[in-house]
Amino acid sequence: MNSSNPSFAPMPDAQGFFGPFGGQIVPPALKQVMDDIDQAYETIRQREDFQQELADLFADYVGRPSPIFHARRLSQQLGGAQIHLKREDLNHTGAHKINHCLGEALLARFMGKKKVIAETGAGQHGVALATACALVGIPCEIHMGQVDIEKEHPNVIKMRILGCTLVPVTRGAATLKEAVDSAFEEYLKDPQAFFYAIGSVVGPHPFPKMVRDFQSIIGREARGQFQARHGRLPDYVAACVGGGSNAIGMFTAFLGDAEVALVGVEPSGEGLDKPGRHSATLSKGKPGQLHGMACYVLEDEAGNPAAVHSIASGLDYPGVGPQHSYLKEQGRVRYETASDKETLDAFMRLSRVEGIIPALESAHAVAWAIRQAPQLRPDQHILVNLSGRGDKDADYVAKLLDL
Ligand SMILES: *Cc1c(COP(=O)(O)O)cnc(C)c1O
């Protein structure tokens, strides 16, 4: 149909594998549930009415296509390659997450589900999902650790305003891990009636595929926009990587373009040599299993998922999407890092030179571009996925820098 449809990339295979990564590492009963979701998804995504409704929502609700902005002043200052920004920060709700949340909420409604369930850490996934569920008209239940609830007041308020049921989780450390457990227990009470909405390209098959397909609108738009404007493709395409949804959404359309170098940027936090103080899963981890999938994992000495850190709360995850794990081993995508400090510098620099306050997550990719551009020629181009806006980070940055 048109460029707003989900992509039909050939990976993963029918069992959900990207090479050795992905799959469904879940109990047999849950495997059946996941297979049912996969089958429903494969059928529904090809329906004209589903495609049309999603395309209309992307256009009229999210505000797609998001523009590409040439950061001229920043490029000039750096004296090398031209830096361009794909403006996912201009989407309704201010980030790329609305793309897959709308897809998942709509799919849940087409499947006749009675409730959408999810966990949230800092609250970004919770707000995007509560937004999508309000619009699509399906009840939404978000589990959140009590500690996070106290830390993330603005997002908690937004979720309440949007009408979702917020379930505080007080057990254990009362943060993301406990919220995942709690949300999953609720889901298992009736997986036929409920839909578990995963927030990135992670978890058991079909979620890495499904979330990628909904996000791949980013790269399809960007490729067409760049080609139309410049008559060629960019030399580099970069995006930050936490679970990997905004990055895979950007990369998918360019995977077949051998002349385009793809760069995923992970957080090196306070240093790659400091276990527990970074979150660079692909750079420092190794193949393992986490949350129902085979993928690169950061582990501690006991073999448990490691403690992780990043200045950007949306990137601190000890696993990463299975397709990224595969693309790393294939060598098709290069995974690099940006530190907390470089990221903070990039956050301030983009704000002051271009008047765009980026999310701290997105500022990792900007930091990489700032490092790379001076090594390139002015007739070369770097396209950065600006995954979200930084309003949510303004208070935190102001405190850090004593502004
Ligand atoms: C959640 C978030 C991310 C990280 O998620 P991915 O799945 O790695 O894309 C990146 N940027 C923003 C703005 C986010 O909100």
Side-chain angles (χ1 to χ4, degrees):
M1 239 177 47
N2 59 39
S3 67
S4 303
N5 296 333
S7 98
F8 303 111
M11 296 207 84
D13 69 15
Q15 278 69 49
F17 282 98
F18 303 86
F21 301 106
Q24 298 170 314
I25 304 171
V26 296
L30 208 54
K31 185 176 180 326
Q32 189 55 54
V33 174
M34 293 298 142
D35 286 343
D36 291 346
I37 295 173
D38 187 35
Q39 208 165 35
Y41 169 64
E42 288 299 333
T43 307
I44 290 169
R45 75 170 187 167
Q46 308 207 37
R47 275 172 53 176
E48 181 88 13
D49 51 350
F50 179 80
Q51 293 186 355
Q52 193 58 56
E53 189 165 351
L54 190 58
D56 288 347
L57 292 179
F58 275 178
D60 304 334
Y61 186 74
V62 180
R64 308 207 67 92
S66 64
I68 290 179
F69 174 72
H70 180 189
R72 280 193 184 79
R73 279 185 16 101
L74 180 63
S75 307
Q76 232 156 38
Q77 278 190 358
L78 293 167
Q82 305 305 310
I83 296 177
H84 307 263
L85 308 172
K86 175 65 170 165
R87 301 288 310 273
E88 291 298 294
D89 62 315
L90 294 178
N91 293 345
H92 177 50
T93 67
H96 72 289
K97 284 193 175 72
I98 192 69
N99 299 328
H100 68 247
C101 285
L102 273 180
E104 288 185 302
L106 202 59
L107 179 66
R109 199 190 72 202
F110 269 73
M111 289 175 74
K113 301 286 185 182
K114 296 191 170 55
K115 179 166 79 177
V116 173
I117 300 170
E119 81 287 343
T120 195
Q124 296 302 115
H125 177 50
V127 170
L129 191 63
T131 301
C133 288
L135 173 75
V136 165
I138 190 166
C140 175
E141 181 177 303
I142 308 281
H143 295 240
M144 188 171 185
Q146 184 62 39
V147 169
D148 291 330
I149 288 180
E150 280 153 28
K151 274 206 319 223
E152 307 289 347
H153 190 67
N155 281 340
V156 170
I157 296 296
K158 280 187 202 163
M159 284 186 272
R160 294 217 164 101
I161 290 173
L162 290 162
C164 83
T165 303
L166 191 70
V167 179
V169 181
T170 54
R171 66 179 87 161
T175 62
L176 181 60
K177 184 185 177 306
E178 291 76 24
V180 173
D181 294 341
S182 169
F184 215 69
E185 280 163 28
E186 176 63 21
Y187 176 58
L188 290 180
K189 285 179 189 164
D190 194 351
Q192 303 304 329
F194 303 155
F195 187 93
Y196 196 105
I198 291 183
S200 187
V201 283
V202 299
H205 178 66
F207 285 91
K209 169 181 74 174
M210 232 164 62
V211 171
R212 174 202 64 197
D213 291 351
F214 292 135
Q215 285 296 349
S216 63
I217 182 77
I218 300 174
R220 281 201 309 284
E221 281 178 7
R223 194 177 182 285
Q225 289 166 318
F226 201 94
Q227 182 89 53
R229 175 84 60 92
H230 302 280
R232 50 163 294 191
L233 295 176
D235 300 277
Y236 293 84
V237 172
C240 67
V241 177
S245 65
N246 89 86
I248 210 78
M250 181 56 134
F251 294 164
T252 297
F254 294 97
L255 284 174
D257 301 313
E259 72 272 33
V260 180
L262 304 175
V263 182
V265 186
E266 296 191 307
S268 54
E270 294 169 6
L272 282 179
D273 53 345
K274 294 191 181 147
R277 302 310 299 163
H278 65 76
S279 184
T281 308
L282 288 162
S283 306
K284 293 293 279 186
K286 55 182 178 27
Q289 299 182 351
L290 187 71
H291 295 151
M293 59 177 168
C295 65
Y296 268 68
V297 183
L298 282 170
E299 291 180 346
D300 61 19
E301 277 159 19
N304 298 313
V308 283
H309 159 86
S310 166
I311 192 172
S313 58
L315 300 182
D316 58 359
Y317 181 57
V320 65
Q323 191 167 5
H324 285 290
S325 304
Y326 176 74
L327 290 167
K328 172 193 164 71
E329 295 212 335
Q330 291 293 301
R332 177 63 188 96
V333 180
R334 228 163 82 196
Y335 293 89
E336 309 235 351
T337 61
S339 69
D340 285 355
K341 171 152 193 337
E342 289 173 296
T343 297
L344 201 54
D345 289 347
F347 176 98
M348 291 306 297
R349 190 156 181 183
L350 192 68
S351 299
R352 293 191 169 177
V353 176
E354 300 288 359
I356 297 172
I357 303 177
L360 281 170
E361 289 82 1
S362 326
H364 282 77
V366 177
W368 177 83
I370 288 174
R371 211 164 68 212
Q372 182 71 15
Q375 303 170 37
L376 302 172
R377 299 185 315 265
D379 65 342
Q380 292 185 292
H381 298 274
I382 301 176
L383 174 61
V384 174
N385 195 25
L386 204 72
S387 56
R389 68 178 183 226
D391 307 42
K392 67 185 180 58
D393 302 311
D395 284 347
Y396 178 65
V397 169
K399 215 179 274 173
L400 278 181
L401 299 180
D402 205 12
L403 296 174

